Amino acid sequence: MSARAGIAVRSVSRSWADNAIWLIEADARRSADTHLLRYPLPSAWSTHFDIALYLKDESTHITGSLKHRLARSLFLYALCNGWIGEGTTIVEASSGSAAISEAYFASLLGLQFVAVMPASTSSAKVALIESQGGRCHFVQNSSEVYAEAQRVAEETGGHYMDQFTNAERATDWRGNNNIAESIFAQMRDEQHPIPEWIVVGAGTGGTSATIGRYIRYRRHATGLCVVDPENSAFFPAYAGQRYDVVTASSRIEGIGRPRVEPSFLPDVVDRMVAVPDAASIAAARHVSTVLGRRVGPSTGTNLWGAFGLLAEMVAAGRSGSVVTLIADSGDRYADTYFSDEWVADQGLDLTGPAQALVEFERYCSWI
Ligand SMILES: Cc1ncc(COP(=O)(O)O)c(C=O)c1O
């Protein structure tokens, strides 16, 4: 900043930012949209029930999760706000998936990247961040990531991206091929093109905020259901309408937070469902078997919620569709959620939820 005779100027290089935005836009143009898969519900049901389930497969983004969309939006938002320039170190607080996607965009722009994450983050995610030149910095509990990321940003003279605050505002909720616009466009030729429900989990809350706002903006009759794992602040806050709730750490990577994140917008959520961790893991395993490929644990949480809503529709004699997400692939979690030893070490018993899933497939009944 220089000031002379009533004139003040900020000398930020616009040409570097122009080029960075062009690099991100060109990368987006080379990328394809994600598939909307039809989930194979039992064929015997088709003579009794007129329902359909769809999975928006966000695992097929180049960085492997729905956080790819968010990372692109956060970089564009920060660039257009003049917050990052040539040589800015990017720092992010994350449970892993966002950091993988942000490491990709930092590398695209030739910027240093530091991920501040809980020590429990899966080794596969750490390897993916490091393979893109990112550095991982660990804290003991997920509630410590915010202050530590801020501190690292100050120490390095870098920029704290703060996905938990900026997710809801960095995404263009009216369209621009956001996840909601993409889902509704891909549903257009289906039997029930306007879903009864869209089911998602919340990490930042950005995905649910985008979908909830878009549903209202387009005046669709669709309900938005947010599924939440054990030990997350979102469900008790929503149920009790108190947003100062603080909890322990979620065990389902990517979703559930120890505090109500600023990007979580409860007023656009029509229903929340608390999902036990054993149910999320049993559902992730069940769906992985059905699809013939592994899905992540939060996808299990999503499917648990979606199955419950389908059973509710059938019990009420309603037809229609439900859409949920494959948030990431299960290959990142071979040593944890897909390991019987790890599950037993966590003191979890999957027998009850696994049985409920069998009953669901048989009778479309729910617990
Ligand atoms: C792996 C993963 N990350 C993040 C999220 C949540 O996204 P957001 O940060 O937009 O709330 C989900 C939700 O399903 C998820 O499964």
Side-chain angles (χ1 to χ4, degrees), residues 255-277:
I255 58 168
R257 298 298 306 166
R259 67 175 199 189
V260 183
E261 301 298 349
S263 277
F264 177 70
L265 305 185
D267 295 335
V268 301
V269 177
D270 298 293
R271 182 190 288 199
M272 284 198 71
V273 175
V275 180
D277 291 348

Side-chain angles (χ1 to χ4, degrees), residues 55-210:
L55 304 177
K56 179 72 169 155
D57 187 0
E58 294 290 288
S59 72
T60 61
H61 285 293
I62 194 160
T63 59
S65 81
L66 87 168
K67 292 292 184 175
H68 194 78
R69 291 179 195 271
L70 174 62
R72 182 189 291 138
S73 298
L74 287 169
F75 269 85
L76 287 172
Y77 188 64
L79 284 161
C80 294
N81 283 334
W83 291 341
I84 56 181
E86 188 170 8
T88 304
T89 297
I90 305 298
V91 184
E92 183 61 293
S94 174
S95 68
S97 300
I100 295 167
S101 302
E102 289 185 38
Y104 170 85
F105 285 102
S107 159
L108 184 71
L109 305 188
L111 300 175
Q112 302 280 324
F113 179 74
V114 184
V116 178
M117 304 185 294
S120 58
T121 307
S122 74
S123 52
K125 287 186 179 176
V126 171
L128 283 165
I129 294 162
E130 290 177 344
S131 72
Q132 297 180 101
R135 181 161 71 79
C136 298
H137 180 96
F138 297 104
V139 294
Q140 221 35 54
N141 297 308
S142 58
S143 58
E144 294 165 37
V145 289
Y146 319 97
E148 186 60 6
Q150 183 72 57
R151 193 195 63 74
V152 172
E154 278 160 21
E155 185 182 272
T156 57
H159 174 66
Y160 171 29
M161 289 290 247
D162 194 359
Q163 57 162 333
F164 295 104
T165 300
N166 292 316
E168 59 90 1
R169 55 198 74 159
T171 303
D172 294 342
W173 53 270
R174 292 181 197 83
N176 198 9
N177 198 33
N178 69 32
I179 189 167
E181 187 177 58
S182 172
I183 288 170
F184 280 94
Q186 289 176 322
M187 284 292 289
R188 203 166 293 148
D189 291 336
E190 298 305 302
Q191 180 120 27
H192 301 287
I194 305 298
E196 282 269 302
W197 290 98
I198 297 181
V199 182
V200 296
T204 62
T207 304
S208 65
T210 302

Side-chain angles (χ1 to χ4, degrees), residues 314-327:
V314 162
R318 287 203 308 276
S319 52
S321 58
V322 172
V323 176
T324 191
L325 312 178
I326 297 179

Side-chain angles (χ1 to χ4, degrees), residues 177-255:
N177 198 33
N178 69 32
I179 189 167
E181 187 177 58
S182 172
I183 288 170
F184 280 94
Q186 289 176 322
M187 284 292 289
R188 203 166 293 148
D189 291 336
E190 298 305 302
Q191 180 120 27
H192 301 287
I194 305 298
E196 282 269 302
W197 290 98
I198 297 181
V199 182
V200 296
T204 62
T207 304
S208 65
T210 302
I211 294 172
R213 284 166 162 163
Y214 186 86
I215 287 170
R216 278 163 179 72
Y217 179 55
R218 291 287 173 196
R219 305 189 300 280
H220 291 310
T222 306
L224 173 62
C225 173
V226 169
V227 282
D228 206 36
E230 284 173 31
N231 291 321
S232 170
F234 293 128
F235 180 81
Y238 183 86
Q241 295 191 33
R242 280 189 51 228
Y243 298 104
D244 56 353
V245 177
V246 173
T247 56
S249 298
S250 157
R251 193 161 30 189
I252 304 298
E253 274 189 45
I255 58 168

